[in-house]
């Protein structure tokens, strides 16, 4: 079946540092790809998505580009803030389900 | 405002005492599902429903029941809870069809003693 692999972390950065969280996938065809974020004590929220190859999703300063050549959808942000501390999940649809990566915990220190 | 609500948010119960966690959405979405989230195991789907009166098992359905009598509601029922069902539960909803993003509820933290 389809699968998602992402770096598990935890990742600890200083405020204003550059962030990359790697995500690679295995899938049949070219599914839509998603990044979700889970802030402490909350449910998952959609952060960004891309629906086809070479699409770039962006939101709140985060970006990710759908790369079919490398089957990747890496999440990046140029300058993280303390408020970005959360767990980030890469995901793709499989049938009627979603396949989620294990999540990457990000801690940003002031 | 588009919302997925769950109740209760926190529940501590004892082994064998039946409980229901409710989930309701106001987005008129056809598809609803339940997940549990456990440390080191990530998110695992319990059950899903593609429309009213249509439900199917996810990856970890044992010990759970669901029903979908109305489009907006999708309760999760634990007939005889056990300690291994202690977990964080999320309801999610999305439009029908493939590729649409899911919207998650705030979660229900369940402890079974």
């Amino acid at each position: 079946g389809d699968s998602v692999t992402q770096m598990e972390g935890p990742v600890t950065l200083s405020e204003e540092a550059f962030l990359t969280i790697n995500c690679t996938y295995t899938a049949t065809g070219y599914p839509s790809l998603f990044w979700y974020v889970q802030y402490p004590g909350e449910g998952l929220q959609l952060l960004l998505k891309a629906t086809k190859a070479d699409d770039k999703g962006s939101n709140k300063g985060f970006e990710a580009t759908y790369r079919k050549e490398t089957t990747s959808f890496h999440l990046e942000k140029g300058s993280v803030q303390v408020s970005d501390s959360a767990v980030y999940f890469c995901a793709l649809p499989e049938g009627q389900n979603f396949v989620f990566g294990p999540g990457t915990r990000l801690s940003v220190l002031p | 405002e588009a919302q997925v609500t769950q109740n209760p948010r926190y529940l501590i119960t004892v082994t064998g005492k039946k409980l229901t966690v409710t989930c309701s959405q106001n987005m008129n979405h056809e598809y609803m599902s339940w997940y549990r989230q456990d440390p080191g195991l990530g998110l695992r789907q319990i059950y899903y429903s593609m429309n009213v009166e249509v439900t199917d098992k996810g990856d970890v359905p044992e010990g759970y029941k669901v029903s979908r009598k109305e489009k907006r509601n999708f309760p999760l029922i634990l007939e005889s809870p056990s300690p291994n069902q202690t977990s964080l539960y999320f309801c999610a909803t999305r439009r029908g069809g493939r590729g649409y993003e899911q919207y998650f509820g705030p979660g229900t933290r369940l402890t079974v003693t």
Side-chain angles (χ1 to χ4, degrees):
Chain A
D2 297 353
S3 65
V4 173
T5 302
Q6 64 178 107
M7 50 192 294
E8 292 199 33
V11 174
T12 303
L13 296 172
S14 297
E15 207 165 23
E16 300 184 3
F18 184 85
L19 169 71
T20 300
I21 300 178
N22 291 335
C23 170
T24 58
Y25 67 90
T26 304
T28 304
Y30 303 106
S32 297
L33 300 173
F34 302 87
W35 276 101
Y36 282 84
V37 58
Q38 184 178 26
Y39 298 104
E42 298 184 13
L44 279 73
Q45 303 173 24
L46 178 68
L47 180 60
L48 54 85
K49 69 176 183 180
T51 58
K52 61 182 186 297
D54 299 325
D55 264 5
K56 178 186 283 187
S58 61
N59 186 26
K60 300 182 180 180
F62 291 89
E63 292 183 341
T65 301
Y66 191 157
R67 304 269 188 217
K68 70 176 182 179
E69 304 85 6
T70 54
T71 61
S72 65
F73 193 52
H74 304 324
L75 182 68
E76 296 181 336
K77 187 174 185 181
S79 175
V80 293
Q81 306 300 312
V82 172
S83 57
D84 294 326
S85 298
V87 181
Y88 293 81
F89 296 89
C90 187
L92 59 83
E94 181 188 39
Q96 298 302 328
N97 195 357
F98 263 61
V99 177
F100 290 88
T104 301
R105 182 175 298 279
L106 170 66
S107 295
V108 180
L109 306 178
Chain B
E1 180 191 352
Q3 271 193 330
V4 182
T5 57
Q6 295 179 227
N7 282 293
R9 294 290 312 279
Y10 303 91
L11 179 60
I12 300 174
T13 190
V14 296
T15 298
K17 185 176 181 182
K18 180 179 178 179
L19 66 91
T20 299
V21 183
T22 64
C23 173
S24 183
Q25 52 102 356
N26 64 359
M27 291 173 271
N28 201 37
H29 286 170
E30 294 85 0
Y31 181 94
M32 299 184 74
S33 63
W34 278 102
Y35 292 86
R36 59 178 291 174
Q37 184 179 34
D38 302 289
L41 296 175
L43 280 154
R44 294 179 292 170
Q45 191 183 54
I46 303 170
Y47 268 95
Y48 65 92
S49 168
M50 294 174 63
N51 215 324
V52 175
E53 302 292 0
V54 181
T55 63
D56 211 343
K57 297 177 180 179
D59 297 321
V60 288
E62 294 78 19
Y64 304 94
K65 286 176 57 176
V66 292
S67 69
R68 187 91 182 274
K69 293 183 169 52
E70 305 166 281
K71 198 172 188 179
R72 63 182 291 124
N73 296 323
F74 190 46
L76 179 69
I77 303 156
L78 284 72
E79 295 268 2
S80 182
S82 62
N84 65 11
Q85 293 178 297
T86 292
S87 186
L88 181 58
Y89 291 87
F90 290 103
C91 179
T93 178
R94 64 171 173 78
R95 291 174 60 183
R98 294 171 58 95
Y100 292 107
E101 62 267 28
Q102 293 198 90
Y103 296 85
F104 285 81
T108 295
R109 184 165 293 283
L110 172 66
T111 302
V112 183
T113 62

